[in-house]
Amino acid sequence: MVINLILDLDPSDNVIKEVSKLASSFGLSDMLEVVMQLASFEPGKAGQLLFLITDENAAEAIATLLALAIINYATWKHEEVFISHHLPAEPPLRFYRNQAAEGYKTDGDNYFTQAKKLAEKYFPEC
């Protein structure tokens, strides 16, 4: 399935609606923006990202956690996801399951919970 907007993952799912709303507050409204947000970060050898969160970088940390949640939710909702981009010579980006769907849901929930807590702390108006 080709996914362009976050809400396209499943417009009837309340979690997807909630993550889409919060993500748009941090500049992530389409899937290309999600992937571009993740492209600037590389996990460590253990596959972990660690953030020292300050007033200056809180928004970027939240956007990254939301991007991780969205990719996990996409893979939870769909066995295989393609995200189109603006480079005509390149094929769409492909994400697919390599574990049970519920594992992606759990990871997405964890990232989303962390992002919400940070948003409440640093941006209570969201």
Side-chain angles (χ1 to χ4, degrees), residues 71-93:
I71 293 298
N72 275 277
Y73 285 141
T75 315
W76 163 52
K77 287 290 186 175
H78 305 283
E79 181 101 22
E80 185 175 53
V81 174
F82 293 92
I83 300 169
S84 58
H85 51 79
H86 305 298
L87 300 173
E90 297 292 324
L93 299 170

Side-chain angles (χ1 to χ4, degrees), residues 26 50-62 118-119 121-123:
F26 290 91
L50 300 175
F51 296 101
L52 174 60
I53 299 170
T54 65
D55 291 344
E56 291 76 29
N57 72 0
E60 188 172 4
I62 294 165
L118 289 172
K121 178 178 180 178
Y122 288 97
F123 304 95

Side-chain angles (χ1 to χ4, degrees), residues 6-7 15-25 28-29:
I6 294 165
L7 199 55
V15 172
I16 300 301
K17 288 179 189 175
E18 189 180 353
V19 75
S20 178
K21 182 179 175 185
L22 186 59
S24 67
S25 300
L28 305 175
S29 58

